[in-house]
Amino acid sequence: MTHNDSRQTAIRLYRKLRLGWIFNTSTFTGNFLLALLIGYFFRKLGYADDVNYVFFLSVLAIGLWVTEAIPPFAVGIFVIAGLLFGFGTDFILEGQKTPVEMYLGTWTSNVIWLLLGGFFLAEAMGKVSLDKSLFRFTVKRFGDSPEKLLLGLMFTTAVASMVMSNTATTAMMISSILPLTKMLGKHSPFTKALLVGIPAAATLGGMGTIIGSTPNAIAVGALHEKGLNITFLEWMAFGLPTGMLAVYLFWLFLTKKSDLNKIVLDISDLVSYPKDRKPFERNAVIFTLIITVGMWLTEPLHGIPIAATSAIPIVLLTLFQIIKSEDVRRLPWDTLMLVAGGLALGIAMVDVGLTDIIMEKISALPIPLVGVAIVFSIIAVLISNVMSNTAAAAILVPLGLALPDLYGFAVPLIVALSCSSALLLPVSTPSNAIAFSTGMIEQKTFRSGGILMIFLGPALAFASVMIWALLFVR
């Protein structure tokens, strides 16, 4: 039996090989012992006990996130528990009575409420089939020219991913085009272009808004803890152009790589509209979507925080009985746990001075700050290709915050956008994994586009954020 999910296949292979100690570091025990060893040598540098403890937790969390010895959300819970155990008791750190409420407070941070509101909207859009309507609208608008249809589907996916999760957006778009790809066959260049372009558009389009990608929310949340607030509209000022330009350039790359001109499409069956059996539910979701996004965009005018207006979809969609208790149980709560843990770890690193220590060492290197910012962006996209981009942002954003002057504000944003440029492997992003699971493309199909975005993504992120910061941030 073959397995389309490359990560599951790797796990099965790992279990068969049983190569002993070489792979033991991917277990929780192996990572724990490795963190202890690294922490032992770090203690010899003479820093305070609280710095040593947070460093140990950071190394352990990074190891667990990279190897996925336990699920990423469980790492987030473990980090919070570790901070409470270390700073809230005398078992590990005697006399270190840091208020633990600030670590628990990440569960109620603005970012958590913002993401939760986005989850409610995404679930409701799927329930009333607005996703399929969006696909049919795109097909009718762009016609049967392969190049134009690919562009339309990619831009539609990018726009949808700004208010829905990248994973949900990819799932709905892939399911919508499957009849077309099956009709063309897996060897068709257009099939490959669709199954590479749509997940790429979902990932890159997520740059456009705060809720479009979890790394965006982590960066905004970390800056908020530092007293630097970014509104929904302010993020879109640099995130939207970056995401849309990246999608367009990726489309150009796909059209140049694939010869789509000779393909003739028959899409008449795909644009037929089924009878709308629930017009009230559909209109209620559209009304809620317009009100919520409108409030997010006009925050500078009314002054209501986006976290507060995120309650609008939660209240209205349950009031209209679009979202019910069984739907709430299906929401990606694990993402919220991961984000809360990442924010708590970042707060601890800043609070004990660990980020200042790391940045002091980096600043001593013979490279200018602009070079440090570029290095951060490249590291972000590289490690996001082999681990969760959320975890990558949780690791790098707190470090970027410690940079001096404007760079302490800009680098976390650059890191967040760069994390959304990881497209090299099927496991680099859930969107790629969904496309790969269709069994119609091979792992190597992602390779050329992924290599392109390793260079193009950080470059666009650095340019857009720095231009925006220099023009509008004082």
Side-chain angles (χ1 to χ4, degrees), residues 46 90 100 132 134 179 185 237 268 272 290 330 343 348 436:
D90 291 326
V100 295
K132 296 179 180 178
L134 195 61
S268 56
S272 58
I290 293 174
R330 288 198 301 267
L343 291 176
F436 184 72

Side-chain angles (χ1 to χ4, degrees), residues 53 84-97:
Y53 181 67
L84 297 180
F85 188 68
F87 291 100
T89 69
D90 291 326
F91 290 105
I92 298 178
L93 300 173
E94 295 184 2
Q96 299 288 344
K97 291 298 182 181

Side-chain angles (χ1 to χ4, degrees), residues 38-218:
I38 296 174
Y40 170 77
F41 289 107
F42 185 80
R43 286 181 65 90
K44 293 184 176 294
L45 299 178
Y47 295 112
D49 289 341
D50 55 349
V51 176
N52 294 329
Y53 181 67
V54 172
F55 177 80
F56 162 76
L57 272 184
S58 302
V59 173
L60 179 56
I62 291 171
L64 294 175
W65 273 326
V66 171
T67 62
E68 296 191 13
I70 60 176
F73 76 89
V75 182
I77 299 294
F78 177 79
V79 166
I80 294 177
L83 291 171
L84 297 180
F85 188 68
F87 291 100
T89 69
D90 291 326
F91 290 105
I92 298 178
L93 300 173
E94 295 184 2
Q96 299 288 344
K97 291 298 182 181
T98 302
V100 295
E101 289 78 10
M102 62 181 179
Y103 306 131
L104 289 172
T106 57
W107 282 101
T108 56
S109 69
N110 290 343
V111 176
I112 298 295
W113 284 103
L114 181 60
L115 288 174
L116 188 58
F119 293 161
F120 269 76
L121 282 175
E123 182 70 18
M125 289 174 68
K127 287 196 67 176
V128 299
S129 298
L130 277 180
D131 46 8
K132 296 179 180 178
S133 299
L134 195 61
F135 168 74
R136 296 188 186 97
F137 169 81
T138 305
V139 172
K140 278 195 168 184
R141 177 67 63 180
F142 287 89
D144 55 4
S145 168
E147 291 186 355
K148 291 182 179 179
L149 183 56
L150 177 61
L151 177 64
L153 289 171
M154 288 181 66
F155 271 124
T156 300
T157 303
V159 171
S161 71
M162 294 181 190
V163 293
M164 299 174 62
S165 76
N166 302 339
T167 306
T169 303
T170 305
M172 80 173 187
M173 295 301 292
I174 292 293
S175 64
S176 298
I177 66 162
L178 275 180
L180 175 60
T181 57
K182 289 179 180 178
M183 179 183 70
L184 295 171
K186 66 178 182 180
H187 298 295
S188 170
F190 193 50
T191 295
K192 295 179 180 180
L194 285 171
L195 292 177
V196 172
I198 285 178
T203 303
L204 298 173
M207 297 179 181
T209 64
I210 297 175
I211 64 169
S213 181
T214 310
N216 302 353
I218 288 177

